[in-house]
Amino acid sequence: MNRSSLLVLALGATTLVACDGLKEALTAHVDVAAKAGKQELSVTRLSSLMGKSQLQIPVTRDVALVIARDLWTPYQLLALSAAHGDSLSDPKAIDAAASAMMENTRIGRFLEQVSASFAADSGSEASYAAAKGDLVAARHILFTVPQGAPAAVKDSVRRKAESVRAQLTPANFGAMANQYSQDPGNAEKKGGDLGVFPRTMMVKPFSDALLTLKPGEISPLVETQFGYHIIQRSTWEQARTQYLQQASGRGRQVAESTYIASAQTAAKVSLKSDAAATMKEVAKDPLAHRGDKTAVATYSGGTLTAGRLALVLLAAPQSPRVQQQIQTAPDSLVRSYVTSMAQREVLLARADSAKSAMTTEELAGLHRDFAQLVASLETAIGIEPATLAAAGKTAEERERIAAEKVEAFIDRIMAGQAQPVPVPVPLQLVLLNKYDAKVNSTGIDRAVEQAVKVRQISDSTRAASQPQSAVPLPGGMSPGMPPQGAVPPGAVPQPARP
């Protein structure tokens, strides 16, 4: 696993716009939009963050969730761990949180093992000679016949081609192709070489004739809609380098797709009637569903749950985009997605049986990157454990100080004075598995409703504070507008251009 895989963003958006200074602190005994440890994000606080934005943050539920779920909650949990000097470095916890990502690597390596033997065989000289694979290689000399040419012209071209054919040998084929071939591709004088290509790439008469030849042999005249061809099947020495390159890639693709298809058939997936609806709910908030034991499908060897789907979805490349697509996709496509996820479980089981695993060095690198990530986030937010330890003697004092620093950091983000730092999914999972946190859906909705009102008041106040013109203007004109009929400076009519 490379380092960038750990840094997959958990946020749907990585930049939030600003808001003016906010005075309200977290308070108890009010409606709550989110909780993290002992800290609460009040509905009033969240509505103010959205509604008083001078840069006009959209007042929507999605924005409220980004602030509450993707910023405030993980920041506060990280502050809680920092207050207690918790480095979050437990290898087992890290491995569990990153398990779905590591599974993707293990499955990929297993499929490489499956395809390796097939690819090696398809790229051998014996395989090339027997034309077992899809790839072939050839040289040719083309004598073109114009479309609609009379029989006499066509016969003349054929006689010339036969004359050249009578002179050909494997040794002089290239030179004769450079001299006689009318193929536009032979302009660079490559001896008529067509390289390595899929057999279906050429028209059928050409392909059929080519497959009757052994490497090095030369065909009689072959007629196609382009004219008359003389074909030589390339020798192994001529085709070897390019053939091995292409055969390896195509062999692996064929072997992998064939194996996956067989595994999919063996999976015997059976979806629950509400599989699509459940998957769409999971896609709305995968983190909230990570422990959901609702059965979505069964397969040979197990049951696929909503929680399992959530974890795999979070580890998917471009996960936020996939989540959005699932929520709006037709049920038929969503059911196909769930089916593929159940089939993935079968592949994973086979990978485990084949001992496909992360190396010791890769795991050590993952743990090291994780520790560096935690330290960098603590520094960005201003909640370094050493600083907190010096500022507060008790755990309660450190928790309070750390929570206040988080609120101040969010204020700076909303004021455009700091950039939000995303907390990647594996770290969020470690925090959520260790500390209590909850986002209150009802509180989010109430915060959005209040934010709309706050925005209206804020906009009215801003409009009223705009400076008025000191000179009364006739006819109720707006400042800067010329009197009726007047022509502003520089507004001289220009002649129409052609």
Side-chain angles (χ1 to χ4, degrees):
M1 177 182 297
N2 56 39
R3 298 192 176 196
S4 62
S5 63
L6 182 63
L7 300 177
V8 173
L9 298 185
L11 302 179
T14 57
T15 303
L16 297 176
V17 292
C19 74
D20 58 357
L22 300 172
K23 303 294 185 180
E24 295 192 51
L26 290 173
T27 57
H29 312 299
V30 296
D31 289 339
V32 174
K35 295 184 67 174
K38 298 177 183 178
Q39 305 303 317
E40 295 181 344
L41 175 63
S42 71
V43 167
T44 302
R45 163 74 162 158
L46 180 56
S47 65
S48 295
L49 287 171
M50 292 188 291
K52 293 186 178 181
S53 169
Q54 292 183 358
L55 296 183
Q56 302 295 297
I57 293 175
V59 180
T60 66
R61 195 174 197 278
D62 287 342
V63 171
L65 282 172
V66 167
I67 296 172
R69 181 189 64 199
D70 299 330
L71 293 178
W72 186 89
T73 297
Y75 288 177
Q76 286 292 1
L77 292 180
L78 194 61
L80 177 60
S81 68
H84 287 267
D86 185 353
S87 62
L88 302 172
S89 59
D90 180 13
K92 292 183 178 179
I94 297 171
D95 293 348
S99 61
M101 287 183 178
M102 293 191 289
E103 288 167 4
N104 291 339
T105 300
R106 285 156 49 200
I107 290 174
R109 288 180 179 171
F110 171 64
L111 292 176
E112 287 177 358
Q113 295 171 9
V114 168
S115 61
S117 58
F118 182 93
D121 179 66
S122 65
S124 67
E125 181 178 0
S127 178
Y128 174 76
K132 288 183 178 179
D134 179 48
L135 297 174
V136 290
R139 299 191 293 177
H140 83 141
I141 303 173
L142 172 64
F143 300 86
T144 60
V145 176
Q147 290 187 355
V153 173
K154 183 175 180 181
D155 186 58
S156 175
V157 174
R158 181 181 58 77
R159 287 197 304 270
K160 181 178 180 180
E162 288 177 339
S163 173
V164 172
R165 174 64 184 88
Q167 305 174 55
L168 285 173
T169 67
N172 70 7
F173 191 96
M176 295 287 277
N178 286 338
Q179 182 177 352
Y180 292 105
S181 182
Q182 296 172 324
D183 182 351
N186 196 49
E188 297 181 7
K189 304 299 183 183
K190 294 182 178 180
D193 190 11
L194 296 171
V196 176
F197 52 90
R199 63 175 69 183
T200 56
M201 178 178 173
M202 299 300 181
V203 293
K204 191 174 188 301
F206 188 103
S207 295
D208 290 346
L210 176 59
L211 293 176
T212 66
L213 303 175
K214 295 179 181 178
E217 287 186 341
I218 302 174
S219 75
L221 294 191
V222 178
E223 184 178 358
T224 73
Q225 65 262 43
F226 303 105
Y228 294 100
H229 305 258
I230 304 173
I231 306 169
Q232 181 189 37
R233 188 171 173 207
S234 302
T235 64
W236 173 247
E237 289 73 20
Q238 292 168 337
R240 182 178 183 277
T241 300
Q242 188 179 4
Y243 181 81
L244 289 176
Q245 291 174 346
Q246 293 193 33
S248 176
R250 292 179 69 86
R252 288 180 185 277
Q253 291 175 4
V254 171
E256 186 173 309
S257 61
T258 301
Y259 185 85
I260 290 175
S262 67
Q264 290 173 340
T265 301
K268 298 179 180 179
V269 177
S270 176
L271 301 183
K272 301 298 181 181
S273 60
D274 59 350
T278 302
M279 184 70 249
K280 289 185 176 184
E281 284 300 315
V282 169
K284 289 180 181 178
D285 190 355
L287 282 171
H289 286 273
R290 68 191 188 282
D292 191 340
K293 298 187 182 301
T294 302
V296 182
T298 59
Y299 59 90
S300 179
T303 299
L304 181 64
T305 66
R308 179 67 180 153
L309 279 171
L311 292 175
V312 175
L313 179 57
L314 286 168
Q318 299 183 328
S319 179
R321 180 182 298 179
V322 176
Q323 294 171 36
Q324 294 175 357
Q325 291 174 340
I326 289 174
Q327 293 176 57
T328 58
D331 285 357
S332 58
L333 290 181
V334 178
R335 289 174 66 85
S336 295
Y337 177 84
V338 175
T339 298
S340 67
M341 291 301 98
Q343 293 164 345
R344 176 186 182 276
E345 298 298 290
V346 174
L347 284 175
L348 179 60
R350 295 188 180 188
D352 290 341
S353 297
K355 309 297 183 184
S356 177
M358 304 286 290
T359 67
T360 302
E361 292 76 13
E362 287 172 329
L363 289 174
L366 172 64
H367 302 156
R368 182 174 59 253
D369 289 348
F370 200 91
Q372 292 174 353
L373 171 66
V374 171
S376 66
L377 287 171
E378 290 172 341
T379 300
I381 300 172
I383 51 173
E384 301 94 328
T387 301
L388 296 176
K393 295 182 179 179
T394 67
E396 290 75 12
E397 288 179 345
R398 293 192 295 273
E399 286 182 25
R400 176 183 56 78
I401 295 170
E404 291 174 350
K405 287 182 176 291
V406 167
E407 296 300 332
F409 183 62
I410 290 179
D411 281 343
R412 291 197 300 275
I413 292 174
M414 304 302 285
Q417 300 169 358
Q419 288 292 321
V421 285
V423 181
V425 168
L427 178 51
Q428 289 194 52
L429 288 173
V430 169
L431 291 167
L432 291 169
N433 291 338
K434 191 163 190 176
Y435 301 107
D436 293 331
K438 181 178 179 60
V439 175
N440 181 5
S441 181
T442 302
I444 294 293
D445 292 336
R446 188 171 293 124
V448 173
E449 292 174 2
Q450 290 188 15
V452 171
K453 299 176 182 178
V454 172
R455 172 64 58 79
Q456 292 172 346
I457 296 173
S458 179
D459 288 347
S460 298
T461 302
R462 187 179 298 112
S465 65
Q466 294 297 320
Q468 300 296 317
S469 173
V471 180
L473 298 174
M477 293 187 302
S478 300
M481 289 185 63
Q484 187 172 0
V487 180
V492 178
Q494 299 294 317
R497 297 186 179 182

